[in-house]
Amino acid sequence: MLKKINSALISVYHKDNLDEIIQLLDENDVKIYSTGGTYDYIKNLGKDAISVESITNYPSILGGRVKTLHPKIFGGILGRRNNEKDKLHFQEYDIPEIDLVIVDLYPFEETVASGKNEDEIIEKIDIGGISLIRAAAKNFNDVLVVPSSDYYEYLITLLKEKCGQTELSDRRTFAQYAFNVSSHYDTAIFNYFDKENTKVFKQSILSSNSLRYGENPHQEALFYGELNKVFHQLHGKAISYNNLVDLDAAINLIKEFTEPTFAILKHTNACGIASRQNVLDAWKDTLAGDPVSAFGGVLVTNSIVDEKTALEINKLFFEIIISPDYEKNALDILKQKKNRIILQKKSYDFSGKQFKSLLNGVIEQQKDTKKETVENMNPVTETSPTENEKNDLIFANIIVKHSKSNAIVLVKNKQLIGSGVGQTSRVDALKQSVAKAKEFGFDLSGAVMASDAFFPFADSVEIAHKAGITAIIQPGGSIRDKDSINYCNKNNIAMVFTGTRHFKH
């Protein structure tokens, strides 16, 4: 059953598109109550409005902190139109019925993000507005609530289509929007105050993107967040769930490097990566690391892609490329495949925490941001790594940190030449990495090895030595570390401990 909107209370921060709403309300003979800047805005449009102060007989006080918090206002919103006792209270206390509440809250999150001082942030915690939203949403049987400027267009459409009337289903839908807005707002405030990291899980993201499908075509999927803050899509088909998982891995890997670097990832693992003096050489040596696995991969670089590099890249079938930028001719070349996803990465600071659903809850942890350096290597053998080996060990350790456990990585001259990832045995991971390196014609003499965790036995060290490995980096911590160290000393292998394990599931 349609219900006529006879009166509206409007108190908003953002006033964009509000003029069209005011015009539609005026055309439908809706009485408007307002306060503060919104009241002035309406009057400047040449439309009639009744000030809240004239209803409550109280001015806006405490620097604007108290405007609408009054029984006459909240009574007019919360009063049940079909309740006889409520009707008597309307008459006894001269309470005006309010059928529509339009609110746009103070921009708390934007104020925090802008780096304002705490006093300014606190003043952007909306009290009256959030109370109006909750009251109107609670009484959706009688009241329509518009909780944010994000929903102005929805209201405009509703007013046009139903000529200033609403159905119960409309009001209930808008109530759902309202509690979504209010719960998100309160979560943002809580997370600002939660400096001590209270052991509760509160996350709220308003925006979402429908994905083509989940890990498999029969699974539906959504991404909650704002991808346009992370990258700009320049070309290609819609991004899938698996694409996003790989992109997350690619971005986190590439940000560890400062030299011109390229990487190719498959199922979040690097199958090729190299750092060189220029992006073209980096690409060529990245592809050479495993040209078979590179097919259909995700490409990432920290350098601008030029025309010569694009010509080489274009020879390969791949799903995605993400780069800080592209030369115009390079972009034209890469766009030759209509489904190829081309992304331009933006500068963005990611959260230091990560979480995922598990069993009947959520697990959360700090991200693994620990980065080993040459200075904090702990040599444990008589033979020390050369300067070149030290650089390769750090390079290898970064890669193994971003590879699925159990993981072994082989590197030579800042080029990934073999890897074994996601294996149930560290020995199997090592054998796989050696086999891959040999398959693609790499000489392992003088190469280095990185392991994401300690070696429980010396057998892995022995296999590596026989393959030609001359330096090893690993966390250490096994009760049999001495066995590995003794083997290295007998065979002039350099081994360094980092003291940090880098498991990745």
Side-chain angles (χ1 to χ4, degrees):
M1 186 173 69
L2 288 170
K3 182 180 186 299
K4 173 79 168 63
I5 299 173
N6 292 308
S7 59
L9 171 63
I10 307 176
S11 179
V12 301
Y13 186 87
H14 292 106
K15 298 172 180 64
D16 297 342
N17 296 327
L18 187 61
D19 55 344
E20 187 173 359
I21 293 173
I22 300 302
Q23 179 63 37
L24 287 167
L25 294 177
D26 184 63
E27 290 173 3
N28 286 283
D29 297 321
V30 177
K31 184 184 295 184
I32 298 175
Y33 302 101
S34 192
T35 186
T38 308
Y39 174 83
D40 294 337
Y41 177 87
I42 296 169
K43 297 295 285 186
N44 288 335
L45 290 175
K47 303 299 181 184
D48 289 333
I50 299 169
S51 70
V52 166
E53 292 84 353
S54 68
I55 302 298
T56 63
N57 292 320
Y58 269 93
S60 172
I61 60 173
L62 305 179
R65 283 189 166 195
V66 180
K67 300 175 185 175
T68 57
L69 295 167
H70 192 278
K72 279 197 172 184
I73 300 302
F74 280 85
I77 296 169
L78 285 164
R80 293 158 291 188
R81 309 317 195 245
N82 61 353
N83 184 290
E84 294 303 321
K85 289 185 178 179
D86 287 5
K87 288 180 181 179
L88 289 174
H89 284 152
F90 273 116
Q91 295 174 3
E92 182 177 357
Y93 300 109
D94 193 23
I95 297 173
E97 291 185 3
I98 298 173
D99 303 318
L100 168 65
V101 174
I102 305 174
V103 176
D104 187 61
L105 299 169
Y106 291 159
F108 177 81
E109 289 179 280
E110 292 87 339
T111 306
V112 173
S114 70
K116 300 285 187 182
N117 63 49
E118 183 152 284
D119 285 346
E120 292 175 286
I121 290 170
I122 297 304
E123 287 309 310
K124 285 297 184 287
I125 298 176
D126 206 312
I127 302 301
I130 203 78
S131 301
L132 291 170
I133 288 172
R134 290 177 61 83
K138 178 175 181 176
N139 199 24
F140 67 88
N141 274 318
D142 298 302
V143 180
L144 178 72
V145 57
V146 180
S148 163
S149 60
D150 293 338
Y151 300 100
Y152 285 178
E153 288 296 332
Y154 294 173
L155 175 62
I156 289 169
T157 299
L158 185 64
L159 291 172
K160 288 179 177 179
E161 290 181 352
K162 297 185 178 177
C163 302
Q165 301 180 95
T166 65
E167 295 183 67
L168 180 60
S169 59
D170 300 322
R171 299 191 295 277
R172 188 181 184 92
T173 297
F174 274 81
Q176 177 188 335
Y177 300 155
F179 286 118
N180 184 31
V181 169
S182 66
S183 63
H184 176 81
Y185 197 76
D186 284 340
T187 297
I189 295 169
F190 168 81
N191 286 331
Y192 170 75
F193 278 95
D194 188 27
K195 308 296 186 185
E196 303 301 321
N197 291 315
T198 307
K199 300 299 187 289
V200 296
F201 183 79
K202 288 186 184 293
Q203 293 290 331
S204 177
I205 302 172
L206 290 177
S207 57
S208 65
N209 297 284
S210 294
L211 304 176
R212 294 205 313 271
Y213 52 81
E215 284 186 287
N216 301 290
H218 63 274
Q219 294 172 270
E220 294 183 0
L222 289 168
F223 173 79
Y224 295 98
E226 297 174 279
L227 290 174
N228 60 350
K229 290 186 177 180
V230 181
F231 52 72
H232 175 49
Q233 183 163 354
L234 305 174
H235 183 74
K237 62 186 177 182
I239 294 173
S240 71
Y241 179 101
N242 292 331
N243 292 155
L244 287 177
V245 173
D246 283 332
L247 280 168
D248 179 70
I251 291 170
N252 281 300
L253 171 63
I254 205 68
K255 72 181 181 181
E256 301 251 23
F257 299 93
T258 54
E259 296 177 275
T261 302
F262 236 111
I264 305 170
L265 282 81
K266 290 290 286 291
H267 303 292
T268 74
N269 296 301
C271 59
I273 182 168
S275 292
R276 293 293 182 261
Q277 293 299 309
N278 60 75
V279 68
L280 177 59
D281 288 342
W283 165 250
K284 289 180 177 179
D285 287 344
T286 294
L287 181 61
D290 187 345
V292 174
S293 296
F295 184 84
V298 172
L299 282 50
V300 61
T301 181
N302 58 4
S303 303
I304 296 172
V305 177
D306 56 31
E307 183 177 4
K308 288 182 179 179
T309 307
L311 285 168
E312 291 298 317
I313 292 171
N314 202 43
K315 297 174 183 177
L316 176 73
F317 170 77
F318 62 90
E319 282 265 343
I320 302 174
I321 182 169
I322 181 166
S323 163
D325 208 351
Y326 306 83
E327 291 183 357
K328 183 183 183 305
N329 290 342
L331 191 57
D332 291 339
I333 292 166
L334 295 173
K335 283 183 175 180
Q336 290 174 5
K337 302 291 185 181
K338 68 175 185 178
N339 287 329
R340 181 181 285 166
I341 298 171
I342 304 174
L343 305 175
Q344 182 178 2
K345 184 184 176 299
K346 299 180 180 180
S347 178
Y348 187 81
D349 292 327
F350 294 95
S351 168
K353 293 182 179 181
Q354 58 186 160
F355 54 86
K356 65 178 180 180
S357 60
L358 193 72
L359 299 175
N360 64 342
V362 173
I363 54 173
E364 179 184 85
Q365 68 172 353
Q366 292 179 328
K367 287 185 177 178
D368 185 1
T369 57
K370 181 72 180 294
K371 186 175 180 178
E372 285 71 42
T373 64
V374 169
E375 289 72 28
N376 60 25
M377 283 182 182
N378 177 25
V380 294
T381 52
E382 295 168 1
T383 301
S384 295
T386 65
E387 288 304 308
N388 187 63
E389 286 174 335
K390 287 179 181 178
N391 291 328
D392 277 352
L393 287 170
I394 293 300
F395 188 90
N397 202 60
I398 292 171
I399 300 169
V400 85
K401 166 184 164 182
H402 291 271
S403 302
K404 287 184 180 179
S405 302
N406 289 312
I408 294 289
V409 163
L410 306 180
V411 164
K412 190 173 183 179
N413 298 322
K414 293 186 179 179
Q415 178 188 21
L416 175 63
I417 60 173
S419 63
V421 299
Q423 299 301 305
T424 54
S425 153
R426 200 156 299 281
V427 171
D428 286 345
L430 175 55
K431 288 179 178 178
Q432 184 185 70
S433 65
V434 171
K436 271 189 172 285
K438 290 180 177 179
E439 180 184 355
F440 298 115
F442 289 104
D443 178 9
L444 286 169
S445 300
V448 307
M449 176 174 76
S451 174
D452 63 336
F454 62 68
F455 296 111
F457 303 99
D459 51 359
S460 294
V461 177
E462 183 178 352
I463 294 169
H465 169 240
K466 290 179 179 178
I469 302 299
T470 55
I472 299 170
I473 186 168
Q474 59 137 319
S478 169
I479 59 174
R480 295 185 179 86
D481 278 344
K482 286 185 178 180
D483 294 345
S484 296
I485 293 170
N486 289 337
Y487 185 92
C488 288
N489 286 334
K490 289 178 182 178
N491 294 280
N492 298 316
I493 301 170
M495 181 181 284
V496 300
F497 286 176
T498 64
T500 303
R501 188 181 72 185
H502 291 295
F503 271 173
K504 182 184 175 188
H505 284 88

